[in-house]
Structures are given as C-alpha cells and as structure tokens.
Amino acid sequence: FTKIELKKFSLIRVMMEKSNLDNRRRSNLKKILASKASEVSQDYFAFANTQGGILVFGVTDNPRTLKGIDKDKFEQIKIEQLSTYLSEYFSPEIHWDIGVVTFKRKHYGFIAIKEADDKPVICKKNSGDVLKDGDIYYRYRGTSKRIEFPELKRMQIEIREK
C-alpha cells in the first residue's frame, strides 16, 4: 500500500470502529439528496453537542460491511441547501464538511460535524415526528437521542466555567 492508500484505509477503519460516527446506507443518502433529512439531522445535532463526529455513507450496519456509494449521486448533494436546512432548524450554527474517499475502487461519502463551540445546539423548529422545538440531542455510544440530565448538567457546568 502507498501512504495515501494507508491513510484512506485508516479513515475507513476509524469510520467503522468509532462511537462518534454513524454508518448510513443508501436510503439515507436519498433522504439527504431529497432534503428530507430530519431523521439524519438528529445525528448532526447530537455530534455537535458532544465531541463532533462523522456520518459515513456506503458502510452497512450489523454487520458493518464496506459497500460503497455512487460518487456522482453523493456529489449532487447541494451544500447550500443542506446549510440552509441546518440553520433553519438548529441554533447556534453547526459547522460541518463533506467529502468522498475512495478505497479499493469503492467510494464512501462522509459528512464530518465539528463539535460546537457554543453549546448546547438546540432545535428551533418542529419537523414531523422527529424534531421538536427546544429539543437538545446528544450522542451516546452508537446512538443519538434527547439529552439526559447528567449530560445536560455537565454541559451547564462547562458553560459556567468558560
């Protein structure tokens, strides 16, 4: 392997093993492309409220298998549209990046969400049954859900100490 291939392999391996990532199949990619991303947005939101994280597209869950994605379709994601969606539903702003990695002739999409500097990131608008105004999501090992009291209290203490 070249150094670049090893770096890509390390990224894929890290994507498959870490708790601050979420593996997404093709169906979720369709939701993002269709801008009906409220289910996926819980993960953006939760990652921003913890240590950041990566949404990985092209890796199945249970068992984790490297399937790959259609690179051209992934690159059709409209960054402006996704940014508008996130700023419409969450405050303060969520910082993120998007890209594609190629490993063993398969493509894997990722959306990397940075840990928020100004926590908590709060939902400011309802979206179906998934997002509710005032909700705070948090990333627990392998899952995103409404924040529980101990984590909210820890977040409040961190804010006071700043």
Side-chain angles (χ1 to χ4, degrees):
F1 289 131
T2 67
K3 284 185 182 183
I4 292 172
E5 287 173 328
L6 288 174
K7 280 185 181 181
K8 288 178 185 176
F9 176 74
S10 294
L11 177 60
I12 297 292
R13 186 176 45 90
V14 165
M15 286 187 219
M16 292 182 71
E17 294 174 357
K18 294 289 183 178
S19 63
N20 63 334
L21 63 85
D22 201 335
N23 300 308
R24 295 289 169 171
R25 289 175 284 243
R26 291 178 180 90
S27 62
N28 296 90
L29 177 58
K30 288 178 188 173
K31 286 180 185 177
I32 288 179
L33 289 169
S35 291
K36 294 178 181 167
S38 60
E39 290 175 28
V40 176
S41 59
Q42 289 177 353
D43 294 319
Y44 292 104
F45 188 13
F47 284 145
N49 279 325
T50 51
Q51 299 173 349
I54 303 170
L55 285 168
V56 182
F57 299 87
V59 180
T60 62
D61 216 357
N62 293 328
R64 291 200 175 132
T65 309
L66 299 173
K67 294 287 187 182
I69 59 162
D70 181 332
K71 180 181 176 185
D72 294 331
K73 282 187 181 176
F74 191 81
E75 289 175 344
Q76 288 174 13
I77 293 173
K78 292 176 174 52
I79 293 172
E80 305 81 21
Q81 195 173 6
L82 191 52
S83 288
T84 299
Y85 173 84
L86 291 172
S87 64
E88 181 180 344
Y89 284 91
F90 305 108
S91 185
E93 180 182 7
I94 295 174
H95 297 280
W96 57 280
D97 197 8
I98 189 169
V100 174
V101 220
T102 304
F103 178 69
K104 292 189 177 182
R105 293 186 283 211
K106 290 184 181 178
H107 305 292
Y108 303 91
F110 69 89
I111 299 176
I113 296 90
K114 183 179 181 267
E115 179 179 1
D117 294 325
D118 188 13
K119 293 180 191 174
V121 175
I122 299 173
C123 182
K124 60 185 186 179
K125 185 177 175 182
N126 292 343
S127 178
D129 293 333
V130 180
L131 299 176
K132 299 295 177 196
D133 183 21
D135 275 354
I136 300 171
Y137 274 79
Y138 196 82
R139 185 69 179 185
Y140 295 92
R141 186 150 179 90
T143 189
S144 299
K145 62 182 187 176
R146 287 183 181 93
I147 196 166
E148 294 178 4
F149 179 75
E151 290 76 26
L152 182 58
K153 185 172 182 165
R154 188 175 332 117
M155 209 180 278
Q156 289 173 328
I157 291 168
E158 289 172 8
I159 291 167
R160 275 189 239 134
E161 291 176 351
K162 281 187 182 181

